[in-house]
Amino acid sequence: GYFASDKAQRGKPVRVAVVIDVPAGYHINSNRPLESYLIATSVKVEPENGLHAGVVTYPRPVMRTFKFSNKQLSVYEGQARLKFSVPIPANYSDGSAKIKARVRLQSCNDEVCFPPKNYDLDLKIDVVGATERVRATNGWAFK
């Protein structure tokens, strides 16, 4: 997981990206697979201390045909970036924001799909005042 800035400012949202690197020769199902038997890629976000996450945006899938299906499937290949924001209230009193995220995905190769897996992320960013300077970071993850 990556933050779009080195610190979060009170009164503003902090942007977060969960980046999934998919090895060559493999794919993962998109967040909206076209077959009911396939497991969607999803991220469940649970910020702590009363924070709430915005809606997760998923990348545009590619359509592919594989040996195990006669129909085209909606998948992610290469790198998938799942993005969301967490608004930091102006009166937020903690010095940091902690965000737990659980990514669920099913990977496949050209012939078979593997059992789904969960990956847990624990993210933490320092929180500063609304007028304190923050620096943009990880721009590649938010393109």
Side-chain angles (χ1 to χ4, degrees):
Y2 299 91
F3 291 103
S5 56
D6 62 343
K7 298 176 192 116
Q9 287 178 304
R10 287 181 181 87
K12 296 183 181 171
V14 62
R15 294 186 308 144
V16 184
V18 174
V19 178
I20 303 169
D21 288 311
V22 182
Y26 292 85
H27 64 271
I28 60 176
N29 297 314
S30 75
N31 65 309
R32 292 187 178 163
L34 301 178
E35 297 290 334
S36 61
Y37 63 89
L38 297 173
I39 306 297
T41 295
S42 65
V43 61
K44 182 179 180 183
V45 183
E46 296 178 352
E48 297 182 355
N49 297 330
L51 297 175
H52 301 282
V55 174
V56 176
T57 59
Y58 292 86
R60 178 173 288 142
V62 294
M63 301 301 292
R64 297 277 189 254
T65 304
F66 300 99
K67 292 178 183 176
F68 60 85
S69 175
N70 294 328
K71 298 179 184 176
Q72 282 198 327
L73 301 179
S74 173
V75 301
Y76 301 133
E77 297 175 324
Q79 192 174 78
R81 299 173 189 157
L82 292 52
K83 302 173 202 170
F84 58 93
S85 293
V86 176
I88 308 296
N91 63 351
Y92 187 74
S93 60
D94 284 0
S96 65
K98 295 178 185 171
I99 302 163
K100 291 183 179 288
R102 172 168 277 186
V103 178
R104 182 168 174 80
L105 58 84
Q106 182 179 36
S107 62
C108 309
N109 60 26
D110 286 349
E111 296 180 5
V112 345
C113 285
F114 303 99
K117 288 189 174 182
N118 294 325
Y119 297 90
D120 292 324
L121 298 171
D122 289 315
L123 305 170
K124 181 180 176 183
I125 189 167
D126 291 335
V127 175
V128 297
T131 59
E132 289 188 51
R133 204 175 153 121
V134 299
R135 185 173 53 87
T137 59
N138 304 310
W140 62 271
F142 294 89
K143 287 182 183 174

